Amino acid sequence: MRSKMFEHRHAAPPPNIRKDPRLTDSLGSAVKMNSESAGHREQPDVPGTPNAPSTRPRTFHRRRRTDGPAFTRPDQYLGQSLYPLCTAFADPAEATAPPTTAADTPFERLSSIEGLAGAWQMVLVRDARDGLLQRQTRLIAGDLDRFLAELSASLREGTYLPAPLLRADIPKRTPGQTRVLHIPTIRDRVVERAVVNTIAHDADRIMSPCSFAYRTGIGADDAVHHLATLRDDGYRHVLRTDVEDYFPNLDVEDALTVLAPVVGCPRTIDLIRLIARPRRARGERRTRSRGIAQGSCLSPLLANLVLNDADHALNDAGYGYARFADDIVVCAPARDDLLAARELLGSLVAAHGLNLNEEKTAMTTFDEGFCFLGVDFSRTRPAVDPHHDIKGAPNPDEVVYVGRDGARVHVSKGRLIVSGADELPLVSIPRRAVSRIVLTGAVGLSAGARSWALRNDVDVIFLSRHGGYLGQLSAPRDTANARRLLTQAAFAADDGARLPLARAIVRAKMHHQVSVLHRTGRRDGGVDVAGACALIRSQAASADDATDTDELMGLEGAASNAYFDCLSKLVPEDVAFHGRSRRPPKDLANAAFSYAYAILLAECTGALLAAGLEPSLGVLHASTDKRPSLSLDLMEEFRPLLVDRTVMALLRSRRLRPEHATVSGDGEGVWLDKDGKKALVDGYEATLQRQVKGALPGFAGTWRRHIHHQAQLLGRAIVEPDYRWSGASWR
């Protein structure tokens, strides 16, 4: 299947910046500072490197912080006093250690010549298009190898100093008002971009799905669609507000507190602290005491993290919520709920030293209408596009599901034909359009169809009549090789080697379970969604300290019990669902979960075979001949993402109803009937063929393609000990 790739387009800067010669001169020349006073040797004249005494040393004062020394000179404030000698995070001895090429930590990856070269290319394309930085860009490009080598060495030796910023006042739409930008030099932009490239995906995974600004793969259109969906779900009342002077009043340490456990690299955190904490801009007399500079590619990421706790808290409380940078909308079925939401939100932002903008805070309704992100919302506008999630994907996967007893699948004259028990054709599809075949129950497969499927790499999945996974027919893969299989076998046998990867799998699953509860339980005030989410998060935190996979499985089981117990309270009253049950399922919901899990298991098995991996050699699940353990590992994080939210949506929208359940002859189990299977398959396929981008780093395509790509990344984590696997972000 072809996947649609997306490009990022960046708007050109305002004309008043382009025409200002002062900005061109400032950014087109190297910034020189007195480095000798900080105890550094004179360095070669590399573009953007501070290497000459300042002609006008100026003493300035800033409020003394309790977590570090007071700085009275610009070169001291910008230099080694903060990085890398922050003993709370890093050993000073590391500053003199020889550079290493092993990419086993985020800092080593971003400070490597390869990491900086990739950042340079992005700066060259994205940041230097405005024509203001061309002189400095040409100087660097003329001796790029030297520039990258010396920049890498300065980072690893701890001698890197960010240069002063350039201040630029950009007019706002409101007459007389301006937005202040602080623009780094090209050299500092390369460092900032390298940091963002290294940590962005890990940071994105912990962000709320209701935060839409400055994130890869989602944006204003998704925020608009989200609010329109909330409106159509019954959230009539709206609280519209924003945070007053957001960027100038943020505290970098609030963002680093959230980021540090995710990144897991003290030297990276120290570097971010150095380049992101307030520093003097050229032409300014004082250093700011708070705030994050607008104009840096790192600033939006940090700004999102500061309010991450508020995003999750509003979600946990069951409100409809959307945030785009500092613009916030809270929705609720009743006006009284908004008063409590206003108080909660105000206390959360106040904890970070911020305030809501009272002039822009107002309560309204969708009936009255309001404007958000330039869109006029009312009772019916904007319309919710029923195909929004699919985004017009070209050539979607054609998966043929056959579940009629006595049916037979065969090929004839370039078409795949499904015939009934009376041999009359039921379905006729061009063979070239078929990507997968799923057979349920007593369905025949002709020899010709079998040979065609093997030759054309079309998987045939076999399920029992009740949806149990029996196996699948897959073509021989040229991706498999003996060396990879031997490496995988050794990895699966080494409990210590597979434990970190097993922890990551469990954490990713729990993260997605919380997201499902957030989205499903927004309107159910009587259900303790927040309590269930808190319990799951505590289990995820405990997973980092688990000493073996058995303990991990215990934590995963406890989280899943709380998760399904909460989900069982979010279905319609006439749907019998009392927690997870299987072998056999005891109710309609469990029958749907089991059937869809079996299909997902087949998806994951095919993806692992395509990646050259043996499905029976597990990481979290023990290796065994009785089940595809690695397939179960791969599907763990996709269960909530693809199956659970699909089944819950079908139950709550009444597309799956109690009459779709049939009781087994012995009265022990409940199974889906024909109509129930059809409704479930339709919903499942709509989910898997949804186009997404940004859920995995640098990848776009359907969720089905994401399964295959994650299987490749899982194989890389098994074969390459230094590779850090992470779960997909919610989209």
Side-chain angles (χ1 to χ4, degrees):
M1 184 200 72
R2 295 179 297 177
S3 57
K4 183 179 179 181
M5 305 303 293
F6 298 81
E7 294 183 0
H8 294 283
R9 293 179 171 85
H10 300 267
N16 63 311
I17 296 184
R18 188 183 301 274
K19 296 178 181 179
D20 192 341
R22 296 175 298 172
L23 302 188
T24 304
D25 294 340
S26 299
L27 291 173
S29 61
V31 178
K32 301 180 183 292
M33 298 186 58
N34 187 358
S35 60
E36 293 181 356
S37 63
H40 304 300
R41 295 182 300 174
E42 184 176 351
Q43 298 182 4
D45 188 7
V46 180
T49 302
N51 56 11
S54 173
T55 59
R56 294 178 57 193
R58 180 185 297 117
T59 300
F60 65 100
H61 303 277
R62 70 188 294 269
R63 184 175 63 183
R64 184 181 182 94
R65 294 180 62 96
T66 58
D67 57 347
F71 304 100
T72 58
R73 293 182 59 88
D75 51 352
Q76 291 178 322
Y77 176 69
L78 296 172
Q80 192 135 344
S81 300
L82 279 178
Y83 169 79
L85 300 182
C86 182
T87 58
F89 293 97
D91 186 351
E94 293 185 3
T96 58
T100 176
T101 58
D104 54 355
T105 69
F107 181 82
E108 290 169 344
R109 291 195 297 271
L110 72 89
S111 63
S112 66
I113 292 179
E114 294 79 9
L116 294 173
W120 158 256
Q121 292 295 329
M122 297 182 69
V123 169
L124 184 66
V125 173
R126 299 184 179 186
D127 297 337
R129 281 177 177 173
D130 53 21
L132 300 178
L133 311 176
Q134 293 303 313
R135 181 172 180 266
Q136 191 177 3
T137 301
R138 287 194 299 271
L139 291 173
I140 295 175
D143 196 0
L144 182 60
D145 292 341
R146 178 187 174 199
F147 169 78
L148 295 176
E150 295 191 1
L151 183 56
S152 175
S154 68
L155 285 167
R156 295 189 172 192
E157 294 170 2
T159 59
Y160 167 78
L161 305 173
L165 303 167
L166 175 68
R167 174 173 174 144
D169 297 323
I170 309 299
K172 294 184 177 181
R173 294 181 179 179
T174 305
Q177 296 186 5
T178 60
R179 175 178 288 106
V180 178
L181 299 183
H182 291 89
I183 305 173
T185 64
I186 286 240
R187 172 177 174 267
D188 294 336
R189 288 192 181 195
V190 171
V191 176
E192 292 175 355
R193 177 57 63 183
V195 172
V196 171
N197 290 347
T198 304
I199 69 171
H201 180 65
D202 288 335
D204 189 81
R205 289 189 299 110
I206 65 173
M207 294 183 193
S208 166
C210 296
S211 175
F212 296 93
Y214 315 127
R215 300 177 67 181
T216 303
I218 56 178
D221 291 343
D222 300 278
V224 170
H225 176 79
H226 177 64
L227 283 183
T229 303
L230 289 173
R231 175 201 62 200
D232 294 350
D233 286 344
Y235 289 78
R236 296 180 56 248
H237 296 269
V238 177
L239 172 66
R240 179 79 171 84
T241 187
D242 73 3
V243 182
E244 187 175 11
D245 294 332
Y246 186 47
F247 277 84
N249 287 312
L250 293 177
D251 191 340
V252 175
E253 294 299 328
D254 289 344
L256 296 183
T257 301
V258 179
L259 189 60
V262 181
V263 175
C265 178
R267 295 194 71 185
T268 301
I269 299 300
D270 286 346
L271 177 60
I272 298 173
R273 178 179 286 109
L274 173 66
I275 61 181
R277 288 181 73 168
R279 65 181 191 266
R280 181 176 59 88
R282 299 184 66 178
E284 295 181 343
R285 294 181 176 271
R286 296 182 177 180
T287 301
R288 296 167 291 116
S289 61
R290 291 176 63 91
I292 297 176
Q294 290 184 266
S296 164
C297 64
L298 185 59
S299 300
L301 175 63
L302 298 178
N304 265 345
L305 291 172
V306 170
L307 289 182
N308 193 51
D309 60 340
D311 298 339
H312 287 292
L314 268 294
N315 263 328
D316 287 349
Y319 299 105
Y321 178 80
R323 180 172 67 87
F324 196 90
D326 59 341
D327 290 332
I328 299 173
V329 174
V330 184
C331 305
R335 181 180 177 85
D336 291 343
D337 296 331
L338 292 183
L339 299 176
R342 167 65 176 84
E343 183 177 354
L344 174 61
L345 182 60
S347 64
L348 291 168
V349 299
H352 299 288
L354 304 169
N355 296 297
L356 297 180
N357 192 329
E358 296 296 337
E359 294 182 357
K360 297 183 179 180
T361 300
M363 288 190 289
T364 183
T365 66
F366 281 104
D367 294 337
E368 297 172 359
F370 65 96
C371 187
F372 181 65
L373 300 179
V375 177
D376 185 14
F377 282 85
S378 64
R379 182 184 300 179
T380 59
R381 296 178 59 193
V384 176
D385 180 5
H387 303 291
H388 174 85
D389 290 343
I390 299 178
K391 298 183 183 291
N395 301 324
D397 291 334
E398 187 71 46
V399 181
V400 180
Y401 290 82
V402 185
R404 178 176 295 187
D405 286 346
R408 179 173 176 269
V409 180
H410 59 100
V411 293
S412 177
K413 299 180 179 180
R415 302 184 71 84
L416 182 78
I417 300 173
V418 180
S419 302
D422 54 4
E423 298 186 357
L424 294 177
L426 301 175
V427 178
S428 179
I429 307 170
R431 291 188 308 184
R432 63 179 182 274
V434 178
S435 61
R436 183 181 299 265
I437 303 172
V438 181
L439 307 180
T440 303
V443 179
L445 181 70
S446 72
R450 183 178 64 239
S451 300
W452 165 80
L454 291 171
R455 287 196 304 268
N456 292 274
D457 199 20
V458 176
D459 288 348
V460 183
I461 293 95
F462 300 92
L463 306 179
S464 70
R465 182 173 300 169
H466 301 310
Y469 177 74
L470 299 177
Q472 63 192 84
L473 182 67
S474 299
R477 312 286 182 172
D478 57 8
T479 53
N481 60 76
R483 184 167 55 183
R484 166 168 284 209
L485 292 175
L486 288 172
T487 303
Q488 183 189 357
F491 183 87
D494 189 341
D495 294 340
R498 63 192 180 98
L499 183 59
L501 182 54
R503 292 191 186 116
I505 292 172
V506 170
R507 288 195 303 268
K509 178 181 181 179
M510 294 181 183
H511 174 69
H512 294 149
Q513 286 177 333
V514 171
S515 296
V516 170
L517 292 181
H518 278 161
R519 295 199 171 197
T520 307
R522 288 184 297 228
R523 296 184 59 185
D524 295 85
V527 180
D528 186 17
V529 174
C533 291
L535 192 152
I536 295 172
R537 290 197 183 102
S538 68
Q539 299 297 324
S542 300
D544 293 332
D545 300 323
T547 57
D548 53 48
T549 54
D550 290 338
E551 184 177 354
L552 277 175
M553 293 294 288
L555 295 172
E556 185 272 335
S560 293
N561 288 336
Y563 170 71
F564 281 106
D565 182 64
C566 188
L567 285 184
S568 67
K569 301 173 183 174
L570 297 173
V571 298
E573 294 182 355
D574 60 340
V575 175
F577 182 27
H578 306 291
R580 188 75 175 106
S581 62
R582 41 185 190 164
R583 302 192 185 101
K586 302 295 186 180
D587 48 57
L588 171 67
N590 278 291
F593 283 128
S594 296
Y595 192 90
Y597 286 154
I599 301 174
L600 179 60
L601 180 63
E603 297 271 3
C604 293
T605 301
L608 291 171
L609 292 173
L613 297 170
E614 170 54 48
S616 64
L617 300 176
V619 174
L620 174 64
H621 295 82
S623 302
T624 178
D625 296 335
K626 299 180 180 180
R627 64 188 181 192
S629 298
L630 191 61
S631 302
L632 295 172
D633 294 340
L634 177 60
M635 71 180 289
E636 286 294 353
E637 69 163 327
F638 290 108
R639 290 176 187 258
L641 273 173
L642 306 180
V643 173
D644 297 355
R645 66 169 175 169
T646 298
V647 172
M648 291 300 295
L650 293 173
L651 291 171
R652 290 163 64 89
S653 64
R654 314 297 294 179
R655 284 178 287 175
L656 268 181
R657 301 182 297 277
E659 56 264 31
H660 291 146
T662 61
V663 182
S664 61
D666 57 7
E668 296 293 328
V670 175
W671 315 106
L672 294 177
D673 65 4
K674 179 182 67 175
D675 294 334
K677 292 177 182 177
K678 184 179 184 305
L680 178 60
V681 166
D682 289 345
Y684 174 82
E685 282 298 321
T687 299
L688 259 70
Q689 298 197 32
R690 174 189 171 190
Q691 292 279 336
V692 292
K693 60 178 179 177
L696 293 174
F699 187 75
T702 64
W703 274 119
R704 176 169 278 120
R705 295 307 309 159
H706 277 71
I707 294 175
H708 281 256
H709 189 65
Q710 190 71 312
Q712 296 171 356
L713 298 181
L714 186 62
R716 183 178 176 184
I718 292 173
V719 175
E720 302 177 20
D722 294 334
Y723 178 74
R724 184 182 179 186
W725 182 91
S726 61
S729 299
W730 183 276
R731 288 290 183 268

